[in-house]
Amino acid sequence: MSDDTISILPPADSTDSTLVFPVPTTGPGSEETGSAPTATGSAPTAGPVFVDATGRRRRRVRRVGLTLLVLAAGYLTLVVSTALGGPTVDAPFLPLPAPPDGTERHASGHAPSVKHRTAPRSGGKAGSGSRLPDSAVNATQSGSAASSASSVSASPSSVSSASTSASPTGSASAGPSASPSPGQTTAAPTANGKSHASTAPGASHRPVKS
Amino acid sequence: MSRDRSRTPARRANARDVPLRTHWLVLCTLVVTLAVALVLQGYSRHMFNDAADGTAAPPGPSASVPATVAHGGPVVAAAGDRPHTARPKARTIALTFDDGPDPKWTPQVLDVLRRNHVHATFFVVGTLAAQHPELLRRIVAEGHQVGIHTFTHAELATLPPWYQSLELRQAQLAVAGAAGVTTSLLRPPYSSGNDAVDDAAWRSMQRAGQQGYLTVLTTQDSEDWQRPGVTRIIANATPHGTAGQILLMHDAGGDRSQTIAALRILLPELKARGYHFATVSAAVGMADPVKPAATGDHWQGLGLIWVLRSGDLVLTVLDWLMLAAGALSVLRAVAVLVAARRHSRARRSPWGPPVTAPASVIVPAYNESAGIEAAVRSLVASDHPVEVIVVDDGSTDSTADLVESLGLPGVRVIRQRNAGKPAALNTGIAAASHDLLVMVDGDTVFEPDAVRMLLQPFADARVGAVSGNAKVVNRGGLLGRWQHIEYVVGFNLDRRLFDLGQCMPTVPGAVGGFRRKAVLRIGGVSDDTLAEDTDLTMALCRAGWRVVYEERAKAWTEAPASLGALWKQRYRWCYGTLQAMWKHRGALLQRGPAGRLGRRGLGYLLLFQALLPLLGPVVDVFTVYGLIFLDPVRIIGLWLAFVLVQVVMGLYAFRLDHERPGPLWSLPLQQFVYRQLMYLVVVQSVFTALAGTRLRWQRMERYGSLQVPTGPTPPPAVPVPAVPTALADTRLHEAHTAPQASE
């Protein structure tokens, strides 16, 4: 039994690894928790587990926390900005129904991105010199040539007389058909209406591109 | 002098002990961010209606729709006070595809169109465009036109104006981000022809017009979304007469194979008959409404797409986490129930010859004058021979005097200066004269047979420690009931599992029996952690001793009655357990009994006391999300299923413990405040552990599982006159000399 008897108040600063009991000192706990012979010993702890007296870990954790905070704030700002934002759109002029006398008319008041206006033309030749690519360049595969003339008068949009500067309605001369890629800004293929003349009904199957 | 030494750490620690609040701010912000991401997800996913076009609201009155619009062409410019419309040219068909882009069908549609050299117009849904930007880019690259079909396929007419604007803007942003273009063509979902425009729809068209959109309606509906068969679709899509048409088809929203098959036949056929296919603007003869997007808009669009994608990811991760959490909880319930059943059967056989050797009961006390008398009297009244050693840890409310004044036989009082509970226990262990120890708390009341029951397992020489059955005495009130349930179901049911698995991590400090030599061999009670009972038990397990659970050794403890006190108690326990787990982490890789503790015990604790509770806030946020955006019935059903599992566990646990199942009715309510408290405790503990801050309790002058020491305050129940400092000085002086005297 003698090995079980241990003094109650061991010396204050004992660092003996066989010391069994923690010392009731004012500092943080014992130097050594002691390890049983059978267990692979735990490493000597300098104080309570996890406590980092230098404060270094705390600063690091704080930094990480603030970084997370900044990231979250950035995300929230992004969300709010997309919710509140949005590109502005402006519809191009919608061609009016053709008035009988072919005077120029403007469609409802949107400001298109037309770069220049052309004088009104009489029917059949529309096509402003706008740089807007479009059906204007309807030099295209008009399968049925004959229809174009009649279709022209039938559809208000195609009325060349209504050629507002904004809308190249070169379609007057030919059946409308597939337009070239909208992304292209074909520089005024219809600048001088020549193309339209050439794309008289049935004339060409190929889109005129410049 | 000793007094100075006991004062200095207080001053030093105060300066450093500024509590860290960053983590609550970060946690709240993260929860808010998660909530926002989920709201976005809910908005963009749940609101999308696939069944779409035929199931719109019935049209209302259309008195205010101008005649030009009601009888005009399908392309409507609605801004200003003179709306006008335009029709496609004769023999021109503007093919339009709604609801795309879809990764399965849109490419096939594009292929068919390309083969036939036809350009069409695609009205895309913003959320889908954001999910498949590459498809949108292909649409634009192959010469087709793009229009918007709102962001989430919402029925614009039924929405408030701000919501309508949001839908259009977000759709535009999605297109700008995906393909770098903006478009001013809009096709409202659930629209058909001009004659179907009612007042509400007209108003929304006007609003859209003010924002710069042209509304494109339909003149010919192929009805392909209904999948009526290829021939029917072709029949619907073939125009009669020479007027131009805007043809409605779909490239998403279901099985579109019929649409594609119809297209393959329709396009060449109609071309042969003399029809031309064009985009909407070409058919109508206007300028291209699709323009390149400004860089800023493009980037903002990319931002939107990224936000949506990350939300998708978050939701997927959450789904998996929820699944894992649910599976783990069910697994735990099953394991615990099975183990409890086996344990209760195994316990019917006795441990061995009855143990009659006397035991030393160690009662560490710090300011326990309220409950110490009842505790000591109950110990003395045990039917087993005991010597009671009360170790007064420098109390300031004359606890020691109180005990001495009781004059009970077999009770010794040791005074020491304040050094913490581990030190008090060690003092008691050293002073104990018997080989069997029982360690209790200063306010734990024992049943008369508790000590005897607790000591019986020591008949088995391999047993090093025995855990008793701590019960809550103050069960009135909601908090008391919840804790009572937790003690019976949580702690004690778990203990049966641990006992069977030979991996018990905690013998409660309130009622535990130990073999003296086992404790001495591992070095006594350490104060490395705040949960010295857990630490001690784990060390004993690792040393090879068996730790068992004896449910018949009942002791009554008083559970904290206020949320604040409960918080502090659980924080201390949780943090202390984390400390002990980290300290004994080596056991994970060891063999034998230590390995059992390491892998099973520590694993269980890590999973169910640390990781699963950390998912708690996420579960709550996800539940709210589900209630709002998903099927609330299903979510509530899921919750009820979990509560049912817990109730079943509770009923079984109560039956095993011979408790009345009455308090279980409060189990469903436990989900709402108690569970939150528990997981917030874990969050706080983990954070404190990571940050390495020193807690107040880790200074040696405090301990106490039930009382919250904020200073030398008397226990609330009994008013104790403040001890004058002169007397305290005398006590402290005695603490030096008394221990030697008692030995």
Side-chain angles (χ1 to χ4, degrees):
Chain A
M1 282 285 282
S2 57
D3 49 314
D4 289 334
T5 327
I6 295 184
S7 67
I8 300 300
L9 284 179
D13 49 1
S14 157
T15 51
D16 185 354
S17 63
T18 61
L19 173 65
V20 176
F21 287 158
V23 175
T25 59
T26 54
S30 60
E31 294 299 320
E32 169 71 58
T33 58
S35 25
T38 52
T40 57
S42 42
T45 51
V49 181
F50 290 145
V51 174
D52 177 8
T54 63
R56 207 179 323 135
R57 246 174 43 216
R58 187 176 140 170
R59 280 194 293 275
R60 195 180 330 152
V61 167
R62 197 178 224 157
R63 233 177 290 139
V64 168
L66 287 176
T67 314
L68 280 179
L69 209 62
V70 164
L71 288 177
Y75 178 84
L76 289 174
T77 318
L78 184 62
V79 169
V80 168
S81 88
T82 56
L84 296 178
T88 47
V89 277
D90 284 318
F93 285 143
L94 195 59
L96 286 171
D101 56 353
T103 47
E104 179 177 354
R105 274 214 209 273
H106 286 279
S108 60
H110 291 284
S113 53
V114 170
K115 294 308 180 276
H116 68 272
R117 300 160 175 253
T118 55
R121 302 195 192 196
S122 51
K125 280 237 188 127
S128 63
S130 130
R131 293 192 307 152
L132 295 170
D134 204 310
S135 52
V137 197
N138 33 49
T140 57
Q141 48 249 54
S142 42
S144 56
S147 61
S148 55
S150 47
S151 63
V152 162
S153 40
S155 59
S157 59
S158 61
V159 175
S160 45
S161 56
S163 67
T164 61
S165 48
S167 55
T169 56
S171 54
S173 44
S177 43
S179 60
S181 157
Q184 299 171 346
T185 43
T186 58
T190 60
N192 46 14
K194 209 167 30 170
S195 56
H196 297 288
S198 61
T199 57
S204 157
H205 289 265
R206 276 176 291 114
V208 170
K209 294 192 174 72
S210 66
Chain B
M1 275 285 291
S2 61
R3 231 166 64 209
D4 291 19
R5 267 192 287 166
S6 70
R7 281 237 197 97
T8 342
R11 270 203 295 265
R12 237 187 327 145
N14 268 335
R16 249 192 254 142
D17 234 13
V18 176
L20 206 54
R21 297 275 175 251
T22 325
H23 62 296
W24 290 126
L25 185 63
V26 172
L27 179 70
C28 286
T29 314
L30 287 180
V31 165
V32 165
T33 310
L34 179 69
V36 166
L38 288 182
V39 164
L40 264 181
Q41 281 314 106
Y43 168 57
S44 67
R45 280 199 171 256
H46 176 66
M47 310 265 189
F48 180 42
N49 190 350
D50 249 358
D53 289 353
T55 56
S62 48
S64 65
V65 180
T68 39
V69 171
H71 307 294
V75 181
V76 180
D81 42 353
R82 285 203 312 155
H84 63 287
T85 67
R87 291 182 201 280
K89 306 177 198 150
R91 292 199 163 262
T92 307
I93 299 179
L95 262 182
T96 63
F97 293 92
D98 282 8
D99 298 350
D102 182 294
K104 186 165 181 201
W105 304 113
T106 306
Q108 297 185 41
V109 168
L110 288 173
D111 288 339
V112 174
L113 294 176
R114 185 171 50 190
R115 231 174 295 133
N116 288 280
H117 306 291
V118 163
H119 286 140
T121 312
F122 287 80
F123 289 99
V124 296
V125 173
T127 49
L128 292 178
Q131 282 170 39
H132 311 287
E134 68 286 350
L135 280 177
L136 200 64
R137 283 193 288 269
R138 184 180 161 189
I139 292 175
V140 171
E142 294 194 358
H144 304 289
Q145 205 157 69
V146 168
I148 63 170
H149 200 42
T150 76
F151 191 60
T152 60
H153 203 277
E155 184 161 5
L156 286 176
T158 61
L159 299 176
W162 64 268
Y163 202 158
Q164 292 184 28
S165 158
L166 187 71
E167 285 273 339
L168 299 181
R169 274 185 292 113
Q170 298 307 304
Q172 196 65 235
L173 256 187
V175 169
V181 297
T182 60
T183 170
S184 41
L185 293 181
L186 163 69
R187 168 161 290 157
Y190 312 107
S191 63
S192 54
N194 290 64
D195 46 4
V197 173
D198 60 5
D199 286 345
W202 170 236
R203 275 194 296 273
S204 66
M205 277 164 64
Q206 280 181 302
R207 265 186 222 107
Q210 275 154 15
Q211 291 175 45
Y213 288 97
L214 293 173
T215 303
V216 179
L217 301 170
T218 311
T219 57
Q220 188 146 14
D221 188 357
S222 70
E223 293 184 9
D224 62 339
W225 63 274
Q226 283 176 336
R227 292 199 290 277
V230 176
T231 33
R232 185 103 205 103
I233 295 177
I234 296 176
N236 289 337
T238 306
H240 308 288
T242 56
Q245 305 287 346
I246 295 189
L247 180 59
L248 170 63
M249 301 190 94
H250 295 83
D251 64 331
D255 183 353
R256 296 281 89 92
S257 51
Q258 292 182 4
T259 305
I260 292 165
L263 273 178
R264 287 203 189 103
I265 304 172
L266 193 67
L267 296 181
E269 188 180 312
L270 288 183
K271 278 164 101 177
R273 285 210 227 155
Y275 290 95
H276 310 292
F277 290 97
T279 61
V280 164
S281 63
V284 154
M286 66 178 202
D288 192 358
V290 177
K291 307 190 179 81
T295 322
D297 291 333
H298 179 57
W299 279 97
Q300 206 178 18
L302 286 177
L304 175 67
I305 293 178
W306 182 85
V307 159
L308 290 175
R309 285 258 183 97
S310 60
D312 269 344
L313 189 66
V314 162
L315 211 64
T316 314
V317 168
L318 279 188
D319 277 340
W320 282 106
L321 281 180
M322 290 301 112
L323 209 63
L328 280 175
S329 305
V330 168
L331 209 69
R332 175 195 191 178
V334 167
V336 161
L337 284 179
V338 167
R341 200 169 148 74
R342 281 174 58 178
H343 183 271
S344 69
R345 288 234 195 95
R347 278 298 158 265
R348 307 226 182 97
S349 49
W351 291 98
V355 172
T356 51
S360 302
V361 180
I362 303 169
V363 187
Y366 178 79
N367 289 350
E368 300 274 10
S369 52
I372 191 82
E373 177 173 347
V376 174
R377 280 195 195 279
S378 72
L379 289 168
V380 165
S382 298
D383 58 6
H384 191 95
V386 291
E387 69 160 346
V388 179
I389 305 173
V390 175
V391 182
D392 178 57
D393 191 33
S395 299
T396 52
D397 64 351
S398 56
T399 302
D401 291 338
L402 182 58
V403 177
E404 273 175 348
S405 69
L406 295 176
L408 297 167
V411 175
R412 261 194 293 164
V413 177
I414 301 177
R415 290 183 177 80
Q416 66 175 35
R417 69 165 189 272
N418 182 267
K421 189 172 178 191
L425 285 171
N426 288 326
T427 307
I429 293 171
S433 37
H434 301 299
D435 298 326
L436 298 177
L437 303 174
V438 176
M439 297 200 215
V440 306
D441 277 344
D443 56 357
T444 312
V445 171
F446 264 52
E447 297 264 311
D449 63 347
V451 177
R452 182 168 52 86
M453 301 265 74
L454 201 57
L455 296 177
Q456 294 314 303
F458 288 113
D460 183 339
R462 296 170 301 171
V463 172
V466 181
S467 162
N469 191 347
K471 292 199 164 299
V472 169
V473 68
N474 50 337
R475 304 176 180 183
L478 214 49
L479 212 55
R481 281 203 192 89
W482 287 341
Q483 292 181 74
H484 170 49
I485 295 175
E486 191 181 1
Y487 274 60
V488 173
V489 182
F491 300 154
N492 294 335
L493 213 52
D494 279 354
R495 281 211 184 93
R496 294 174 196 265
L497 178 65
F498 291 138
D499 188 358
L500 266 183
Q502 297 176 29
C503 54
M504 180 96 58
T506 308
V507 168
V511 49
F514 298 87
R515 231 184 255 284
R516 188 164 182 254
K517 74 173 180 225
V519 175
L520 290 176
R521 274 215 210 120
I522 61 166
V525 183
S526 146
D527 63 351
D528 289 335
T529 71
L530 284 184
E532 61 282 334
D533 45 7
T534 307
D535 191 4
L536 179 65
T537 315
M538 286 187 181
L540 282 173
C541 267
R542 288 179 78 186
W545 295 98
R546 274 215 62 193
V547 179
V548 299
Y549 172 58
E550 178 54 72
E551 73 265 23
R552 289 168 290 184
K554 295 197 179 81
W556 299 92
T557 85
E558 189 165 339
S562 72
L563 271 180
L566 179 63
W567 166 274
K568 292 198 163 86
Q569 181 198 51
R570 295 314 171 95
Y571 182 26
R572 190 174 198 275
W573 286 3
C574 183
Y575 182 71
T577 308
L578 289 176
Q579 284 181 307
M581 284 165 62
W582 182 254
K583 177 177 168 187
H584 294 282
R585 65 194 181 280
L588 265 174
L589 301 172
Q590 288 179 290
R591 296 169 169 284
R596 276 197 286 271
L597 170 76
R599 287 179 285 277
R600 299 180 197 176
L602 289 187
Y604 187 92
L605 286 183
L606 185 68
L607 215 47
F608 294 109
Q609 307 266 6
L611 293 183
L612 222 50
L614 282 178
L615 283 184
V618 171
V619 171
D620 283 346
V621 171
F622 203 72
T623 306
V624 173
Y625 168 77
L627 285 174
I628 298 177
F629 291 110
L630 302 176
D631 186 7
V633 173
R634 206 152 47 125
I635 299 288
I636 295 181
L638 216 63
W639 270 95
L640 284 180
F642 269 106
V643 169
L644 191 68
V645 166
Q646 288 180 40
V647 165
V648 165
M649 267 176 64
L651 282 172
Y652 189 57
F654 272 58
R655 197 168 76 94
L656 281 181
D657 257 15
H658 309 292
E659 293 272 0
R660 300 214 326 258
L664 280 176
W665 66 262
S666 61
L667 198 57
L669 299 175
Q670 223 189 12
Q671 304 302 316
F672 294 111
V673 170
Y674 201 69
R675 204 173 53 87
Q676 277 74 16
L677 188 77
M678 291 305 130
Y679 70 58
L680 288 178
V681 162
V682 176
V683 168
Q684 172 85 347
S685 307
V686 167
F687 184 80
T688 309
L690 287 176
T693 39
R694 178 193 297 274
L695 297 177
R696 268 179 310 173
W697 298 305
Q698 279 164 320
R699 283 174 286 144
M700 301 288 275
E701 57 209 12
R702 311 209 182 289
Y703 72 91
S705 54
L706 298 184
Q707 292 163 13
V708 178
T710 50
T713 51
V718 175
V720 170
V723 179
T725 33
L727 197 52
D729 287 351
T730 328
R731 292 278 172 259
L732 289 169
H733 181 71
E734 275 184 26
H736 266 299
T737 52
Q740 276 133 15
S742 69
E743 182 55 24

